[in-house]
Amino acid sequence: MIEQITLRDLGVIAQATLPMGPGFTAITGETGAGKTMVVTGLGLLMGARSDAGTVRSGAEQAVVEGVWIVPEEGAVGERVRDAGGEVEPIGDGRAELYLGRTVTAEGRSRASVGGRTAPAGVLAELAEHLVVVHGQSDQLRLRSGAAQRDALDRFGAERIAEPLARYRADFDAAKSLESELADLTAHRAERAREADHLRAALAELEQVDPQPGEDLELAQRSARLAGAEELRLAATAAHEALSSDGDAPDVVTLLGEARRALERAAASDLALAAHAGALEDLGYRASDLATELSGYVADLDDAGPHELAAVEERRALIGAIVRAHGTLDDALALRAEGGLRLADLDDDGDRVERLTAEAAAAQARLDESAARLTQARTDAAERLSAAVTTELHALALPDARVVVAVEPGAPSAAGRDEVAILLAPHPGADPRPVAKSASGGELSRVMLAIEVVIAGNGGVATFVFDEIDAGIGGAAAIEVGRRLAALAETSQVIVVTHLAQVAAFAGNHLSVVKASDGSVTASNVRALDGAGREAEMARLLSGLPDSPAALEHARELLGLGAQRD
């Protein structure tokens, strides 16, 4: 339930606070005073697209704030907490929810939910649980088959919601299998070519058997073997310098002589003994290094040109693998994982058979779900037809008859049904689509009758009607007011109206008042009672708030509204 809405710099409204509360609230005012801005502001709180044109001229931004009374626990509170906001408990399992929306003169929008900034989409999600807004544009939507089907589904509640959910799940499953099968069939030749290419690639990899890092290792070996003569000369020269069989002194010999000289003198100075030990160690290391260099030269002599040829041949094989796959790592990854992909590709024949069988089974389940959904809608259509017809009789259409027809339609995610609301406005007339047979006033009453009936099934607690009484007057308007009051017994009802006959039945009457200083027009809202309400009712009736006749008529209507129980 909406407890209060505050508007600032929205359209012609400079500052206004609208106390709502339970029951039936009527909002009236002169043409151009900004009544519709109330609905516009509510729309912003419900996540509607923002428009810089709604910001009052000269203002930096428009602000709309609302306070809702909601269950402390449930879908609304859970979604608010998911968005980072909070609801404030007020007792008896109820809580206050604060929503806000600002729109700048440049068109930027900002939303808040439960005290925290949130995307406007969160407001739209909450709106599904909080309020239903109807205006003259919604009457136009009622002319569409989809809107009429949605109305029937809302009336059917869980009796339709459950088979509809089952149908949608089966519809998605069948579509998914159908798409997978079609894709597999359409690309079968392409997949066969991929399998042949992959099989050949795996065979080549198995034959070559490349190893991780082998390309780099072979490059190093090739460079070493290609420069073997230069390497041999360098290693031989180093070996001869360290340990030579010739007459020239070598490192090992010189180190030995130096060690022995120090050892002879060490008896006179023990410090020389440590140096002699160091020279001995250097001699061992030089001797070991000379041995290693000798082995290195021997390896080069053993390798010879034939090993270089073998290395280059292996490099050519590995190079072909790298060129084919991008890198050696990619080739190794393909060897590791390609078998699974090849098994998947080679399974196409069996897979087509399996998918065909699964798709047939899914289609059978979908047919069953569609039939159950159609039956649920057909049953609900009979009840809705009778209930709406009864409501229309109370709305000054005593001879009207409504038929909600459920016929086969094109399959979609919403089912296989076409729903049409038909109206026979008088005896003897054949029921015809409401879009063709109903006048504006009749369409308003059909929509109101549907909402009154659907409200009896529970669901959304607040209904907002924006001048749905257009095209209605006299006794019909009185009955519309009476039915809105009846709807308000189980739901909160807010109506923007220009009819005194409707406003008379409201328990809370708000007037949008326009004032002008010659340059800027601004409006605010005031709650009416007593003489103030009588004057506003007289203005609605005659345009003259102080006309004695109009005032008398206003009092009569207010008395009628007070006796509705």
Side-chain angles (χ1 to χ4, degrees):
M1 178 189 73
I2 305 173
E3 186 175 37
Q4 178 178 290
I5 294 178
T6 300
L7 310 174
R8 290 196 299 274
D9 295 326
L10 183 68
V12 297
I13 297 179
Q15 170 77 35
T17 298
L18 289 77
M20 298 296 185
F24 181 3
T25 295
I27 301 174
T28 62
E30 296 180 13
T31 301
K35 299 186 301 296
T36 301
M37 282 297 103
V38 175
V39 179
T40 299
L42 183 59
L44 289 172
L45 289 180
M46 295 296 97
R49 183 184 298 273
S50 61
D51 181 0
T54 60
V55 180
R56 193 166 71 97
S57 178
E60 294 182 357
Q61 66 179 13
V63 179
V64 185
E65 297 172 332
V67 182
W68 261 257
I69 303 298
V70 299
E72 185 176 351
E73 302 296 333
V76 172
E78 181 177 346
R79 185 65 186 95
V80 170
R81 285 185 281 270
D82 287 344
E86 293 291 339
V87 295
E88 298 186 8
I90 57 175
D92 297 329
R94 302 181 305 155
E96 286 186 337
L97 168 61
Y98 293 84
L99 302 179
R101 187 85 176 271
T102 61
V103 181
T104 68
E106 293 78 25
R108 294 190 298 273
S109 171
R110 185 176 182 181
S112 64
V113 174
R116 294 291 296 273
T117 300
V122 177
L123 294 177
E125 293 177 32
L126 293 172
E128 296 179 3
H129 303 281
L130 295 175
V131 63
V132 171
V133 179
H134 283 293
Q136 295 186 49
S137 60
D138 295 277
Q139 295 182 29
L140 297 177
R141 285 199 292 273
L142 186 60
R143 297 175 186 268
S144 75
Q148 295 177 25
R149 183 181 58 217
D150 290 344
L152 175 61
D153 289 352
R154 284 197 295 132
F155 172 76
E158 286 302 316
R159 296 185 186 182
I160 290 179
E162 184 176 345
L164 178 57
R166 180 69 265 169
Y167 170 85
R168 284 176 173 163
D170 290 341
F171 181 84
D172 291 342
K175 280 294 182 184
S176 177
L177 286 169
E178 181 183 330
S179 176
E180 186 177 358
L181 182 58
D183 180 73
L184 183 61
T185 303
H187 297 89
R188 198 167 185 177
E190 180 182 337
R191 289 168 62 86
R193 288 193 296 271
E194 182 186 351
D196 291 340
H197 176 76
L198 181 56
R199 190 175 290 107
L202 290 174
E204 181 183 21
L205 288 170
E206 182 178 357
Q207 182 179 2
V208 175
D209 190 24
Q211 299 302 311
E214 187 177 1
D215 52 345
L216 298 178
E217 180 185 348
L218 287 172
Q220 294 171 355
R221 288 180 63 191
S222 175
R224 175 174 176 271
L225 291 171
E229 185 59 29
E230 182 180 355
L231 296 173
R232 183 184 296 105
L233 291 175
T236 300
H239 177 269
E240 291 179 353
L242 289 171
S243 179
S244 173
D245 295 333
D247 295 333
D250 56 35
V251 171
V252 172
T253 300
L254 292 174
L255 287 172
E257 291 178 357
R259 175 181 57 80
R260 287 190 294 272
L262 292 178
E263 287 176 345
R264 285 192 296 270
S268 300
D269 189 349
L270 294 178
L272 295 179
H275 295 308
L279 287 170
E280 183 180 17
D281 182 59
L282 288 174
Y284 290 144
R285 292 171 63 186
S287 180
D288 290 343
L289 183 55
T291 301
E292 291 176 6
L293 287 171
S294 178
Y296 179 81
V297 172
D299 287 343
L300 287 176
D301 290 338
D302 291 342
H306 66 279
E307 183 177 354
L308 178 60
V311 167
E312 292 301 328
E313 182 180 355
R314 181 64 178 175
R315 286 188 72 193
L317 291 174
I318 298 299
I321 294 292
V322 170
R323 287 191 297 276
H325 301 284
T327 67
L328 184 58
D329 288 341
D330 290 340
L332 295 173
L334 179 64
R335 182 173 66 178
E337 303 169 2
L340 293 175
R341 175 61 176 168
L342 184 60
D344 178 64
L345 294 170
D346 286 340
D347 187 46
D348 276 4
D350 293 339
R351 191 176 173 194
V352 167
E353 291 183 9
R354 288 197 304 271
L355 283 175
T356 300
E358 290 175 12
Q363 187 61 47
R365 289 192 297 271
L366 180 61
D367 291 341
E368 294 178 4
S369 296
R372 287 196 295 270
L373 177 57
T374 297
Q375 186 59 54
R377 281 175 170 157
T378 301
D379 294 343
E382 294 180 2
R383 300 194 307 274
L384 182 60
S385 299
V388 173
T389 295
T390 300
E391 284 297 322
L392 287 180
H393 293 171
L395 289 170
L397 287 174
D399 299 320
R401 179 168 60 94
V402 166
V403 176
V404 181
V406 179
E407 302 291 343
S412 71
R416 300 177 179 177
D417 309 313
E418 292 288 346
V419 175
I421 298 178
L422 311 176
L423 176 66
H426 51 79
D430 293 328
R432 297 181 59 213
V434 67
K436 298 179 180 179
S437 62
S439 65
E442 289 171 337
L443 194 59
S444 295
R445 280 177 276 180
V446 169
M447 187 177 70
L448 177 58
I450 290 173
E451 288 301 347
V452 169
V453 170
I454 293 176
N457 288 359
V460 175
T462 297
F463 293 90
V464 178
F465 297 96
D466 183 15
E467 297 190 355
I468 65 155
D469 47 21
I472 299 175
I478 290 176
E479 294 306 321
V480 166
R482 199 186 303 276
R483 300 317 293 167
L484 287 169
L487 178 59
E489 293 176 1
T490 55
S491 304
Q492 182 186 38
V493 176
I494 300 169
V495 180
V496 177
T497 181
H498 62 281
L499 293 179
Q501 294 93 329
V502 172
F505 289 86
N508 180 30
H509 191 161
L510 305 177
S511 175
V512 181
V513 182
K514 178 173 65 175
S516 176
D517 61 2
S519 60
V520 177
T521 299
S523 301
N524 55 31
V525 177
R526 63 184 183 185
L528 300 177
D529 57 12
R533 187 178 186 191
E534 291 177 1
E536 173 65 4
M537 293 283 288
R539 186 194 64 77
L540 292 173
L541 288 166
S542 67
L544 301 173
D546 53 359
S547 166
L551 286 169
E552 183 61 30
H553 191 185
R555 295 186 189 98
E556 183 181 0
L557 283 176
L558 289 171
L560 182 64
Q563 297 172 8
R564 60 182 180 273
D565 295 334

